[in-house]
Amino acid sequence: METRELQSGFAIEVVNYKSKRELKSLRKLLLRFGVIFIRDMELDFEELESLARVFGDLQDISGKPSSTSLPTDNKYIRTMEYDGAPVDFPAGWFWHSEMSYSEIRPSGGLLYMTKVPESGGDTLFADQRKAYSQLSTGMQKYIENLTCVHEVGWWFKNKPKKGTVQNVVEIHPETGERYLNVCDVFTTRINGLPFDEAKYLLTFLQNHASNDLWTHRHKWTKNSLAIWDDRLVQHKAVHNFNGERVGHRIQIV
Ligand SMILES: [Fe+2]
């Protein structure tokens, strides 16, 4: 299998592989880098599911249709469809780790894009190991023992969901690396600090998490696949397009 580094130490593209079996080695690469892209893959749902299982068990993400996604006949695959209509819950348009507010956060995700608009509709990915490592030593020390709240806030149909208390700096369970665990849309509070200190520190960390220096912009093409580690990576969909964009999402437990 041949790969090409798109962003140093963070994003790679698989440019050549002999068989789908060879893709089993992608798990190691995902932990080493954080986000992987493969273009021009013809996959039906069964093949997509079996490729996703290389990275772990899958979450059941069936359930009710939302304004941006629909369940499919495969309970592990949800179709993300956007046709330009107004959206009441556009969390994906802001920087986030998938469902970072939930008790059981997904460890990773796959998105397989089957319909792309003529222009626009890119996805941005930001490297949270790098974000942490590029903080000053003093700041790293200061935030090391702080906790924060991840939740679906007041903006979700005025019905916030119960959030979870998490560390501002987390340690990846498989690689032992530290990463910044604060995202724009779901992190609402830093605990134990005076109000203004918490507010400005949170704003600083949220901006720092998505600094251009450790952000990769992915341009989708038809039948391209992105795989990412949801601890090491934050992402954001850029909704600057007309026309339809259709992708199929899987979440790794
Ligand atoms: Fe997302």
Side-chain angles (χ1 to χ4, degrees), residues 80 91-92 94 96-99 228 230 235-237 249 251:
M80 318 295 292
F94 301 91
H96 65 287
S97 295
E98 214 63 59
M99 293 172 66
W228 65 92
D230 254 310
H235 61 279
K236 167 186 172 169
R249 192 178 88 195
Q251 288 175 194

Side-chain angles (χ1 to χ4, degrees), residues 26 30 36 38 41 43 47-58 61 76-78 80 98 106-113 125 220 224-230 235 247-253:
L26 286 179
L30 190 65
I36 299 174
I38 312 175
M41 288 198 100
L43 295 170
E47 290 169 315
L48 179 59
E49 182 191 328
S50 104
L51 176 56
R53 288 191 182 280
V54 162
F55 304 95
D57 291 334
L58 310 184
I61 50 173
Y76 304 114
I77 300 176
R78 215 168 159 87
M80 318 295 292
E98 214 63 59
S107 65
L110 289 87
L111 185 58
Y112 176 55
M113 202 63 81
F125 295 89
W220 295 96
S224 60
L225 176 72
I227 309 157
W228 65 92
D229 183 305
D230 254 310
H235 61 279
H248 309 283
R249 192 178 88 195
I250 292 187
Q251 288 175 194
I252 316 291
V253 173

Side-chain angles (χ1 to χ4, degrees), residues 10-59:
F10 177 53
I12 58 165
E13 181 170 354
V14 174
V15 287
N16 198 6
Y17 59 93
K18 289 191 189 85
S19 70
K20 285 182 182 153
R21 197 179 288 173
E22 215 184 349
L23 297 175
K24 286 192 172 164
S25 60
L26 286 179
R27 191 168 185 280
K28 262 191 191 162
L29 284 176
L30 190 65
L31 290 174
R32 189 168 142 212
F33 289 93
V35 58
I36 299 174
F37 304 101
I38 312 175
R39 294 194 188 271
D40 301 318
M41 288 198 100
E42 293 279 345
L43 295 170
D44 58 26
F45 277 4
E46 208 176 304
E47 290 169 315
L48 179 59
E49 182 191 328
S50 104
L51 176 56
R53 288 191 182 280
V54 162
F55 304 95
D57 291 334
L58 310 184
Q59 280 189 331

Side-chain angles (χ1 to χ4, degrees), residues 84-175:
V87 170
D88 60 356
F89 179 40
W93 302 14
F94 301 91
W95 282 107
H96 65 287
S97 295
E98 214 63 59
M99 293 172 66
S100 71
Y101 51 83
S102 59
E103 287 291 344
I104 302 169
R105 289 177 55 163
S107 65
L110 289 87
L111 185 58
Y112 176 55
M113 202 63 81
T114 51
K115 193 163 192 180
V116 292
E118 266 180 41
S119 64
D122 300 349
T123 299
L124 308 179
F125 295 89
D127 182 347
Q128 297 312 295
R129 277 183 295 208
K130 187 84 172 179
Y132 172 76
S133 74
Q134 295 303 299
L135 290 166
S136 66
T137 314
M139 180 58 87
Q140 287 178 346
K141 226 176 202 162
Y142 178 57
I143 63 174
E144 192 167 70
N145 296 314
L146 292 177
T147 61
C148 57
V149 176
H150 284 239
E151 64 187 338
V152 177
W154 56 268
W155 40 264
F156 179 50
K157 299 176 185 169
N158 292 323
K159 283 185 197 156
K161 287 185 185 171
K162 195 173 163 284
T164 53
V165 175
Q166 301 178 26
N167 295 317
V168 168
V169 179
E170 278 288 357
I171 295 177
H172 193 285
E174 287 167 89
T175 68

Side-chain angles (χ1 to χ4, degrees), residues 169-204:
V169 179
E170 278 288 357
I171 295 177
H172 193 285
E174 287 167 89
T175 68
E177 294 165 300
R178 284 180 158 72
Y179 63 94
L180 189 59
N181 181 39
V182 165
C183 69
D184 191 15
V185 73
F186 296 136
T187 314
T188 54
R189 274 174 279 170
I190 291 184
N191 300 311
L193 298 179
F195 171 75
D196 55 348
E197 196 173 322
K199 180 170 117 177
Y200 292 111
L201 177 61
L202 181 58
T203 304
F204 162 72

